[in-house]
Structure formats: structure tokens, C-alpha cells
PDB file of all heavy atoms in Angstrom:
ATOM      1  N   VAL A   1       0.851  -1.192   0.005  1.00 96.00           N
ATOM      2  CA  VAL A   1      -0.008  -0.005  -0.003  1.00 96.00           C
ATOM      3  C   VAL A   1       0.872   1.260  -0.001  1.00 96.00           C
ATOM      4  O   VAL A   1       0.590   2.218  -0.724  1.00 96.00           O
ATOM      5  CB  VAL A   1      -1.002  -0.002   1.180  1.00 96.00           C
ATOM      6  CG1 VAL A   1      -1.701   1.318   1.332  1.00 96.00           C
ATOM      7  CG2 VAL A   1      -2.006  -1.113   0.985  1.00 96.00           C
ATOM      8  N   LEU A   2       1.944   1.243   0.777  1.00 96.00           N
ATOM      9  CA  LEU A   2       2.876   2.403   0.799  1.00 96.00           C
ATOM     10  C   LEU A   2       3.508   2.611  -0.569  1.00 96.00           C
ATOM     11  O   LEU A   2       3.692   3.728  -1.023  1.00 96.00           O
ATOM     12  CB  LEU A   2       3.932   2.232   1.872  1.00 96.00           C
ATOM     13  CG  LEU A   2       3.415   2.337   3.317  1.00 96.00           C
ATOM     14  CD1 LEU A   2       4.538   2.026   4.333  1.00 96.00           C
ATOM     15  CD2 LEU A   2       2.848   3.728   3.565  1.00 96.00           C
ATOM     16  N   SER A   3       3.836   1.483  -1.228  1.00 97.00           N
ATOM     17  CA  SER A   3       4.390   1.586  -2.599  1.00 97.00           C
ATOM     18  C   SER A   3       3.356   2.158  -3.539  1.00 97.00           C
ATOM     19  O   SER A   3       3.702   3.049  -4.377  1.00 97.00           O
ATOM     20  CB  SER A   3       4.832   0.190  -3.048  1.00 97.00           C
ATOM     21  OG  SER A   3       5.245   0.219  -4.377  1.00 97.00           O
ATOM     22  N   GLU A   4       2.132   1.724  -3.423  1.00 97.00           N
ATOM     23  CA  GLU A   4       1.032   2.315  -4.270  1.00 97.00           C
ATOM     24  C   GLU A   4       0.869   3.791  -3.953  1.00 97.00           C
ATOM     25  O   GLU A   4       0.630   4.578  -4.859  1.00 97.00           O
ATOM     26  CB  GLU A   4      -0.269   1.561  -4.061  1.00 97.00           C
ATOM     27  CG  GLU A   4      -0.306   0.148  -4.641  1.00 97.00           C
ATOM     28  CD  GLU A   4      -1.610  -0.559  -4.320  1.00 97.00           C
ATOM     29  OE1 GLU A   4      -2.670   0.107  -4.409  1.00 97.00           O
ATOM     30  OE2 GLU A   4      -1.571  -1.732  -3.982  1.00 97.00           O
ATOM     31  N   ALA A   5       1.003   4.156  -2.710  1.00 96.00           N
ATOM     32  CA  ALA A   5       0.825   5.565  -2.289  1.00 96.00           C
ATOM     33  C   ALA A   5       1.948   6.412  -2.899  1.00 96.00           C
ATOM     34  O   ALA A   5       1.709   7.547  -3.311  1.00 96.00           O
ATOM     35  CB  ALA A   5       0.844   5.669  -0.775  1.00 96.00           C
ATOM     36  N   ARG A   6       3.165   5.845  -2.946  1.00 97.00           N
ATOM     37  CA  ARG A   6       4.281   6.590  -3.577  1.00 97.00           C
ATOM     38  C   ARG A   6       4.006   6.796  -5.069  1.00 97.00           C
ATOM     39  O   ARG A   6       4.213   7.896  -5.601  1.00 97.00           O
ATOM     40  CB  ARG A   6       5.602   5.869  -3.353  1.00 97.00           C
ATOM     41  CG  ARG A   6       6.171   6.039  -1.920  1.00 97.00           C
ATOM     42  CD  ARG A   6       7.558   5.499  -1.776  1.00 97.00           C
ATOM     43  NE  ARG A   6       7.622   4.041  -1.906  1.00 97.00           N
ATOM     44  CZ  ARG A   6       7.434   3.174  -0.901  1.00 97.00           C
ATOM     45  NH1 ARG A   6       7.108   3.620   0.293  1.00 97.00           N
ATOM     46  NH2 ARG A   6       7.509   1.871  -1.102  1.00 97.00           N
ATOM     47  N   GLU A   7       3.501   5.743  -5.739  1.00 97.00           N
ATOM     48  CA  GLU A   7       3.177   5.842  -7.161  1.00 97.00           C
ATOM     49  C   GLU A   7       2.086   6.883  -7.354  1.00 97.00           C
ATOM     50  O   GLU A   7       2.130   7.686  -8.312  1.00 97.00           O
ATOM     51  CB  GLU A   7       2.749   4.509  -7.730  1.00 97.00           C
ATOM     52  CG  GLU A   7       3.857   3.487  -7.830  1.00 97.00           C
ATOM     53  CD  GLU A   7       3.325   2.095  -8.221  1.00 97.00           C
ATOM     54  OE1 GLU A   7       2.207   1.971  -8.710  1.00 97.00           O
ATOM     55  OE2 GLU A   7       4.107   1.118  -8.045  1.00 97.00           O
ATOM     56  N   CYS A   8       1.078   6.875  -6.515  1.00 97.00           N
ATOM     57  CA  CYS A   8      -0.011   7.808  -6.567  1.00 97.00           C
ATOM     58  C   CYS A   8       0.509   9.236  -6.382  1.00 97.00           C
ATOM     59  O   CYS A   8       0.115  10.174  -7.096  1.00 97.00           O
ATOM     60  CB  CYS A   8      -1.064   7.475  -5.526  1.00 97.00           C
ATOM     61  SG  CYS A   8      -2.557   8.536  -5.564  1.00 97.00           S
ATOM     62  N   ALA A   9       1.415   9.421  -5.419  1.00 96.00           N
ATOM     63  CA  ALA A   9       2.032  10.761  -5.202  1.00 96.00           C
ATOM     64  C   ALA A   9       2.760  11.225  -6.428  1.00 96.00           C
ATOM     65  O   ALA A   9       2.690  12.415  -6.778  1.00 96.00           O
ATOM     66  CB  ALA A   9       2.947  10.700  -4.001  1.00 96.00           C
ATOM     67  N   GLU A  10       3.471  10.335  -7.106  1.00 97.00           N
ATOM     68  CA  GLU A  10       4.185  10.675  -8.347  1.00 97.00           C
ATOM     69  C   GLU A  10       3.174  11.119  -9.410  1.00 97.00           C
ATOM     70  O   GLU A  10       3.394  12.117 -10.121  1.00 97.00           O
ATOM     71  CB  GLU A  10       5.013   9.537  -8.843  1.00 97.00           C
ATOM     72  CG  GLU A  10       6.250   9.240  -7.996  1.00 97.00           C
ATOM     73  CD  GLU A  10       6.970   7.934  -8.401  1.00 97.00           C
ATOM     74  OE1 GLU A  10       6.627   7.351  -9.470  1.00 97.00           O
ATOM     75  OE2 GLU A  10       7.847   7.525  -7.643  1.00 97.00           O
ATOM     76  N   ARG A  11       2.088  10.360  -9.558  1.00 96.00           N
ATOM     77  CA  ARG A  11       1.036  10.752 -10.514  1.00 96.00           C
ATOM     78  C   ARG A  11       0.472  12.106 -10.133  1.00 96.00           C
ATOM     79  O   ARG A  11       0.158  12.939 -11.000  1.00 96.00           O
ATOM     80  CB  ARG A  11      -0.049   9.706 -10.594  1.00 96.00           C
ATOM     81  CG  ARG A  11       0.315   8.464 -11.391  1.00 96.00           C
ATOM     82  CD  ARG A  11      -0.890   7.604 -11.737  1.00 96.00           C
ATOM     83  NE  ARG A  11      -1.683   7.167 -10.616  1.00 96.00           N
ATOM     84  CZ  ARG A  11      -1.422   6.107  -9.837  1.00 96.00           C
ATOM     85  NH1 ARG A  11      -0.378   5.375 -10.106  1.00 96.00           N
ATOM     86  NH2 ARG A  11      -2.182   5.786  -8.842  1.00 96.00           N
ATOM     87  N   GLY A  12       0.323  12.338  -8.859  1.00 96.00           N
ATOM     88  CA  GLY A  12      -0.197  13.606  -8.364  1.00 96.00           C
ATOM     89  C   GLY A  12       0.714  14.753  -8.716  1.00 96.00           C
ATOM     90  O   GLY A  12       0.271  15.872  -9.097  1.00 96.00           O
ATOM     91  N   GLU A  13       2.040  14.531  -8.635  1.00 97.00           N
ATOM     92  CA  GLU A  13       2.994  15.593  -8.978  1.00 97.00           C
ATOM     93  C   GLU A  13       2.959  15.876 -10.474  1.00 97.00           C
ATOM     94  O   GLU A  13       3.037  17.050 -10.881  1.00 97.00           O
ATOM     95  CB  GLU A  13       4.429  15.146  -8.568  1.00 97.00           C
ATOM     96  CG  GLU A  13       4.609  15.164  -7.051  1.00 97.00           C
ATOM     97  CD  GLU A  13       5.951  14.561  -6.617  1.00 97.00           C
ATOM     98  OE1 GLU A  13       6.803  14.249  -7.491  1.00 97.00           O
ATOM     99  OE2 GLU A  13       6.126  14.404  -5.405  1.00 97.00           O
ATOM    100  N   GLU A  14       2.812  14.809 -11.289  1.00 96.00           N
ATOM    101  CA  GLU A  14       2.725  15.019 -12.707  1.00 96.00           C
ATOM    102  C   GLU A  14       1.436  15.783 -13.073  1.00 96.00           C
ATOM    103  O   GLU A  14       1.446  16.706 -13.879  1.00 96.00           O
ATOM    104  CB  GLU A  14       2.690  13.661 -13.415  1.00 96.00           C
ATOM    105  CG  GLU A  14       3.991  12.904 -13.369  1.00 96.00           C
ATOM    106  CD  GLU A  14       3.868  11.422 -13.768  1.00 96.00           C
ATOM    107  OE1 GLU A  14       2.752  11.007 -14.168  1.00 96.00           O
ATOM    108  OE2 GLU A  14       4.890  10.687 -13.641  1.00 96.00           O
ATOM    109  N   LEU A  15       0.337  15.424 -12.433  1.00 96.00           N
ATOM    110  CA  LEU A  15      -0.932  16.109 -12.617  1.00 96.00           C
ATOM    111  C   LEU A  15      -0.850  17.566 -12.188  1.00 96.00           C
ATOM    112  O   LEU A  15      -1.327  18.459 -12.870  1.00 96.00           O
ATOM    113  CB  LEU A  15      -2.011  15.358 -11.834  1.00 96.00           C
ATOM    114  CG  LEU A  15      -3.448  15.757 -12.062  1.00 96.00           C
ATOM    115  CD1 LEU A  15      -3.822  15.576 -13.542  1.00 96.00           C
ATOM    116  CD2 LEU A  15      -4.381  14.900 -11.197  1.00 96.00           C
ATOM    117  N   GLU A  16      -0.205  17.786 -11.054  1.00 97.00           N
ATOM    118  CA  GLU A  16      -0.005  19.128 -10.519  1.00 97.00           C
ATOM    119  C   GLU A  16       0.744  20.015 -11.546  1.00 97.00           C
ATOM    120  O   GLU A  16       0.332  21.157 -11.833  1.00 97.00           O
ATOM    121  CB  GLU A  16       0.775  19.094  -9.232  1.00 97.00           C
ATOM    122  CG  GLU A  16       1.042  20.443  -8.617  1.00 97.00           C
ATOM    123  CD  GLU A  16       1.838  20.299  -7.330  1.00 97.00           C
ATOM    124  OE1 GLU A  16       1.669  19.312  -6.556  1.00 97.00           O
ATOM    125  OE2 GLU A  16       2.686  21.214  -7.084  1.00 97.00           O
ATOM    126  N   ALA A  17       1.795  19.475 -12.110  1.00 97.00           N
ATOM    127  CA  ALA A  17       2.589  20.218 -13.120  1.00 97.00           C
ATOM    128  C   ALA A  17       1.743  20.559 -14.333  1.00 97.00           C
ATOM    129  O   ALA A  17       1.785  21.674 -14.844  1.00 97.00           O
ATOM    130  CB  ALA A  17       3.832  19.425 -13.510  1.00 97.00           C
ATOM    131  N   MET A  18       0.951  19.558 -14.778  1.00 96.00           N
ATOM    132  CA  MET A  18       0.114  19.794 -15.936  1.00 96.00           C
ATOM    133  C   MET A  18      -0.940  20.875 -15.620  1.00 96.00           C
ATOM    134  O   MET A  18      -1.156  21.787 -16.452  1.00 96.00           O
ATOM    135  CB  MET A  18      -0.551  18.479 -16.357  1.00 96.00           C
ATOM    136  CG  MET A  18      -1.447  18.639 -17.565  1.00 96.00           C
ATOM    137  SD  MET A  18      -2.195  17.110 -18.105  1.00 96.00           S
ATOM    138  CE  MET A  18      -3.084  16.597 -16.634  1.00 96.00           C
ATOM    139  N   VAL A  19      -1.576  20.750 -14.463  1.00 97.00           N
ATOM    140  CA  VAL A  19      -2.601  21.726 -14.106  1.00 97.00           C
ATOM    141  C   VAL A  19      -1.981  23.152 -13.992  1.00 97.00           C
ATOM    142  O   VAL A  19      -2.594  24.130 -14.441  1.00 97.00           O
ATOM    143  CB  VAL A  19      -3.295  21.318 -12.771  1.00 97.00           C
ATOM    144  CG1 VAL A  19      -4.181  22.434 -12.235  1.00 97.00           C
ATOM    145  CG2 VAL A  19      -4.103  20.035 -13.011  1.00 97.00           C
ATOM    146  N   GLN A  20      -0.824  23.206 -13.455  1.00 97.00           N
ATOM    147  CA  GLN A  20      -0.129  24.508 -13.282  1.00 97.00           C
ATOM    148  C   GLN A  20       0.125  25.121 -14.672  1.00 97.00           C
ATOM    149  O   GLN A  20       0.013  26.316 -14.883  1.00 97.00           O
ATOM    150  CB  GLN A  20       1.154  24.398 -12.523  1.00 97.00           C
ATOM    151  CG  GLN A  20       1.792  25.713 -12.230  1.00 97.00           C
ATOM    152  CD  GLN A  20       2.956  25.609 -11.253  1.00 97.00           C
ATOM    153  OE1 GLN A  20       3.553  24.525 -11.126  1.00 97.00           O
ATOM    154  NE2 GLN A  20       3.300  26.691 -10.575  1.00 97.00           N
ATOM    155  N   ASP A  21       0.515  24.240 -15.628  1.00 96.00           N
ATOM    156  CA  ASP A  21       0.801  24.727 -16.994  1.00 96.00           C
ATOM    157  C   ASP A  21      -0.442  25.288 -17.704  1.00 96.00           C
ATOM    158  O   ASP A  21      -0.348  26.241 -18.456  1.00 96.00           O
ATOM    159  CB  ASP A  21       1.392  23.606 -17.858  1.00 96.00           C
ATOM    160  CG  ASP A  21       2.819  23.285 -17.474  1.00 96.00           C
ATOM    161  OD1 ASP A  21       3.463  24.126 -16.806  1.00 96.00           O
ATOM    162  OD2 ASP A  21       3.293  22.204 -17.876  1.00 96.00           O
ATOM    163  N   VAL A  22      -1.617  24.660 -17.499  1.00 96.00           N
ATOM    164  CA  VAL A  22      -2.778  25.026 -18.286  1.00 96.00           C
ATOM    165  C   VAL A  22      -3.747  26.023 -17.566  1.00 96.00           C
ATOM    166  O   VAL A  22      -4.518  26.670 -18.249  1.00 96.00           O
ATOM    167  CB  VAL A  22      -3.564  23.779 -18.727  1.00 96.00           C
ATOM    168  CG1 VAL A  22      -2.725  22.892 -19.620  1.00 96.00           C
ATOM    169  CG2 VAL A  22      -4.155  22.996 -17.578  1.00 96.00           C
ATOM    170  N   CYS A  23      -3.734  26.051 -16.258  1.00 96.00           N
ATOM    171  CA  CYS A  23      -4.706  26.871 -15.546  1.00 96.00           C
ATOM    172  C   CYS A  23      -4.158  28.247 -15.192  1.00 96.00           C
ATOM    173  O   CYS A  23      -2.946  28.458 -15.163  1.00 96.00           O
ATOM    174  CB  CYS A  23      -5.116  26.184 -14.213  1.00 96.00           C
ATOM    175  SG  CYS A  23      -6.155  24.725 -14.472  1.00 96.00           S
ATOM    176  N   LYS A  24      -5.097  29.129 -14.901  1.00 97.00           N
ATOM    177  CA  LYS A  24      -4.711  30.446 -14.374  1.00 97.00           C
ATOM    178  C   LYS A  24      -4.213  30.263 -12.943  1.00 97.00           C
ATOM    179  O   LYS A  24      -4.557  29.283 -12.279  1.00 97.00           O
ATOM    180  CB  LYS A  24      -5.935  31.357 -14.384  1.00 97.00           C
ATOM    181  CG  LYS A  24      -6.500  31.631 -15.742  1.00 97.00           C
ATOM    182  CD  LYS A  24      -7.762  32.431 -15.644  1.00 97.00           C
ATOM    183  CE  LYS A  24      -8.429  32.516 -17.017  1.00 97.00           C
ATOM    184  NZ  LYS A  24      -9.806  33.015 -16.939  1.00 97.00           N
ATOM    185  N   PRO A  25      -3.376  31.198 -12.442  1.00 97.00           N
ATOM    186  CA  PRO A  25      -2.839  31.033 -11.080  1.00 97.00           C
ATOM    187  C   PRO A  25      -3.880  30.853 -10.003  1.00 97.00           C
ATOM    188  O   PRO A  25      -3.691  29.999  -9.107  1.00 97.00           O
ATOM    189  CB  PRO A  25      -2.038  32.331 -10.880  1.00 97.00           C
ATOM    190  CG  PRO A  25      -1.660  32.750 -12.266  1.00 97.00           C
ATOM    191  CD  PRO A  25      -2.790  32.331 -13.159  1.00 97.00           C
ATOM    192  N   ASN A  26      -4.985  31.591 -10.060  1.00 97.00           N
ATOM    193  CA  ASN A  26      -5.994  31.453  -8.997  1.00 97.00           C
ATOM    194  C   ASN A  26      -6.699  30.080  -9.098  1.00 97.00           C
ATOM    195  O   ASN A  26      -7.106  29.519  -8.103  1.00 97.00           O
ATOM    196  CB  ASN A  26      -7.011  32.605  -9.041  1.00 97.00           C
ATOM    197  CG  ASN A  26      -7.810  32.620 -10.362  1.00 97.00           C
ATOM    198  OD1 ASN A  26      -7.312  32.271 -11.415  1.00 97.00           O
ATOM    199  ND2 ASN A  26      -9.051  33.059 -10.230  1.00 97.00           N
ATOM    200  N   GLU A  27      -6.852  29.565 -10.330  1.00 97.00           N
ATOM    201  CA  GLU A  27      -7.467  28.232 -10.513  1.00 97.00           C
ATOM    202  C   GLU A  27      -6.516  27.142 -10.018  1.00 97.00           C
ATOM    203  O   GLU A  27      -6.938  26.206  -9.382  1.00 97.00           O
ATOM    204  CB  GLU A  27      -7.805  28.002 -12.002  1.00 97.00           C
ATOM    205  CG  GLU A  27      -8.863  28.922 -12.512  1.00 97.00           C
ATOM    206  CD  GLU A  27      -9.016  28.899 -14.026  1.00 97.00           C
ATOM    207  OE1 GLU A  27      -8.017  28.623 -14.715  1.00 97.00           O
ATOM    208  OE2 GLU A  27     -10.152  29.126 -14.511  1.00 97.00           O
ATOM    209  N   PHE A  28      -5.248  27.324 -10.309  1.00 97.00           N
ATOM    210  CA  PHE A  28      -4.246  26.360  -9.823  1.00 97.00           C
ATOM    211  C   PHE A  28      -4.221  26.365  -8.297  1.00 97.00           C
ATOM    212  O   PHE A  28      -4.141  25.305  -7.670  1.00 97.00           O
ATOM    213  CB  PHE A  28      -2.844  26.723 -10.387  1.00 97.00           C
ATOM    214  CG  PHE A  28      -1.790  25.837  -9.841  1.00 97.00           C
ATOM    215  CD1 PHE A  28      -1.725  24.482 -10.190  1.00 97.00           C
ATOM    216  CD2 PHE A  28      -0.791  26.314  -8.992  1.00 97.00           C
ATOM    217  CE1 PHE A  28      -0.732  23.618  -9.649  1.00 97.00           C
ATOM    218  CE2 PHE A  28       0.209  25.511  -8.486  1.00 97.00           C
ATOM    219  CZ  PHE A  28       0.237  24.163  -8.814  1.00 97.00           C
ATOM    220  N   GLU A  29      -4.324  27.530  -7.691  1.00 97.00           N
ATOM    221  CA  GLU A  29      -4.363  27.611  -6.225  1.00 97.00           C
ATOM    222  C   GLU A  29      -5.570  26.887  -5.638  1.00 97.00           C
ATOM    223  O   GLU A  29      -5.451  26.165  -4.647  1.00 97.00           O
ATOM    224  CB  GLU A  29      -4.371  29.096  -5.799  1.00 97.00           C
ATOM    225  CG  GLU A  29      -4.203  29.255  -4.319  1.00 97.00           C
ATOM    226  CD  GLU A  29      -4.121  30.740  -3.924  1.00 97.00           C
ATOM    227  OE1 GLU A  29      -3.479  31.509  -4.629  1.00 97.00           O
ATOM    228  OE2 GLU A  29      -4.700  31.085  -2.878  1.00 97.00           O
ATOM    229  N   ARG A  30      -6.732  27.018  -6.289  1.00 96.00           N
ATOM    230  CA  ARG A  30      -7.922  26.286  -5.874  1.00 96.00           C
ATOM    231  C   ARG A  30      -7.687  24.792  -5.918  1.00 96.00           C
ATOM    232  O   ARG A  30      -8.064  24.029  -5.057  1.00 96.00           O
ATOM    233  CB  ARG A  30      -9.125  26.639  -6.761  1.00 96.00           C
ATOM    234  CG  ARG A  30      -9.829  27.865  -6.379  1.00 96.00           C
ATOM    235  CD  ARG A  30     -11.062  27.979  -7.221  1.00 96.00           C
ATOM    236  NE  ARG A  30     -12.184  28.181  -6.380  1.00 96.00           N
ATOM    237  CZ  ARG A  30     -13.295  28.734  -6.727  1.00 96.00           C
ATOM    238  NH1 ARG A  30     -13.461  29.168  -7.947  1.00 96.00           N
ATOM    239  NH2 ARG A  30     -14.280  28.877  -5.895  1.00 96.00           N
ATOM    240  N   TYR A  31      -7.040  24.340  -7.039  1.00 97.00           N
ATOM    241  CA  TYR A  31      -6.750  22.931  -7.214  1.00 97.00           C
ATOM    242  C   TYR A  31      -5.855  22.443  -6.066  1.00 97.00           C
ATOM    243  O   TYR A  31      -6.115  21.412  -5.417  1.00 97.00           O
ATOM    244  CB  TYR A  31      -6.060  22.703  -8.572  1.00 97.00           C
ATOM    245  CG  TYR A  31      -5.462  21.315  -8.704  1.00 97.00           C
ATOM    246  CD1 TYR A  31      -6.270  20.232  -9.043  1.00 97.00           C
ATOM    247  CD2 TYR A  31      -4.121  21.114  -8.466  1.00 97.00           C
ATOM    248  CE1 TYR A  31      -5.727  18.961  -9.162  1.00 97.00           C
ATOM    249  CE2 TYR A  31      -3.560  19.859  -8.586  1.00 97.00           C
ATOM    250  CZ  TYR A  31      -4.372  18.793  -8.940  1.00 97.00           C
ATOM    251  OH  TYR A  31      -3.846  17.511  -9.017  1.00 97.00           O
ATOM    252  N   MET A  32      -4.768  23.216  -5.809  1.00 97.00           N
ATOM    253  CA  MET A  32      -3.831  22.788  -4.779  1.00 97.00           C
ATOM    254  C   MET A  32      -4.467  22.800  -3.385  1.00 97.00           C
ATOM    255  O   MET A  32      -4.201  21.892  -2.597  1.00 97.00           O
ATOM    256  CB  MET A  32      -2.604  23.772  -4.775  1.00 97.00           C
ATOM    257  CG  MET A  32      -1.722  23.575  -6.007  1.00 97.00           C
ATOM    258  SD  MET A  32      -1.124  21.892  -6.234  1.00 97.00           S
ATOM    259  CE  MET A  32      -0.087  21.687  -4.809  1.00 97.00           C
ATOM    260  N   MET A  33      -5.319  23.742  -3.090  1.00 97.00           N
ATOM    261  CA  MET A  33      -5.986  23.762  -1.795  1.00 97.00           C
ATOM    262  C   MET A  33      -6.922  22.582  -1.680  1.00 97.00           C
ATOM    263  O   MET A  33      -6.962  21.925  -0.594  1.00 97.00           O
ATOM    264  CB  MET A  33      -6.785  25.061  -1.644  1.00 97.00           C
ATOM    265  CG  MET A  33      -5.881  26.266  -1.339  1.00 97.00           C
ATOM    266  SD  MET A  33      -6.794  27.836  -1.126  1.00 97.00           S
ATOM    267  CE  MET A  33      -7.894  27.400   0.199  1.00 97.00           C
ATOM    268  N   PHE A  34      -7.623  22.231  -2.757  1.00 97.00           N
ATOM    269  CA  PHE A  34      -8.491  21.078  -2.718  1.00 97.00           C
ATOM    270  C   PHE A  34      -7.687  19.792  -2.473  1.00 97.00           C
ATOM    271  O   PHE A  34      -8.053  19.002  -1.554  1.00 97.00           O
ATOM    272  CB  PHE A  34      -9.311  20.940  -4.003  1.00 97.00           C
ATOM    273  CG  PHE A  34      -9.921  19.562  -4.158  1.00 97.00           C
ATOM    274  CD1 PHE A  34     -10.993  19.190  -3.356  1.00 97.00           C
ATOM    275  CD2 PHE A  34      -9.383  18.644  -5.041  1.00 97.00           C
ATOM    276  CE1 PHE A  34     -11.522  17.914  -3.430  1.00 97.00           C
ATOM    277  CE2 PHE A  34      -9.931  17.382  -5.144  1.00 97.00           C
ATOM    278  CZ  PHE A  34     -10.987  17.003  -4.347  1.00 97.00           C
ATOM    279  N   ILE A  35      -6.639  19.579  -3.188  1.00 96.00           N
ATOM    280  CA  ILE A  35      -5.811  18.339  -3.036  1.00 96.00           C
ATOM    281  C   ILE A  35      -5.258  18.272  -1.605  1.00 96.00           C
ATOM    282  O   ILE A  35      -5.290  17.223  -0.997  1.00 96.00           O
ATOM    283  CB  ILE A  35      -4.694  18.303  -4.097  1.00 96.00           C
ATOM    284  CG1 ILE A  35      -5.284  18.162  -5.511  1.00 96.00           C
ATOM    285  CG2 ILE A  35      -3.715  17.167  -3.793  1.00 96.00           C
ATOM    286  CD1 ILE A  35      -6.109  16.875  -5.755  1.00 96.00           C
TER     287      ILE A  35
END
């Protein structure tokens, strides 16, 4: 489960980078606060 959690965290970081690239700063901040 911890291994799966690490993989999930990596996917989360990739997703975060993508969201940061495409969204406006205030939208990205909403995303980050939600996560």
C-alpha cells in the first residue's frame, strides 16, 4: 500500500505540473488547496 501511495504521489506531482501549466494562477491555487 505504501508503494502504491508513492506511485499515486508521483502521478499527483505530474498532474499538478500539468494543471499549473494550463490553468490560471488562481485556478491552480484552488486545485492545490482542494488536493
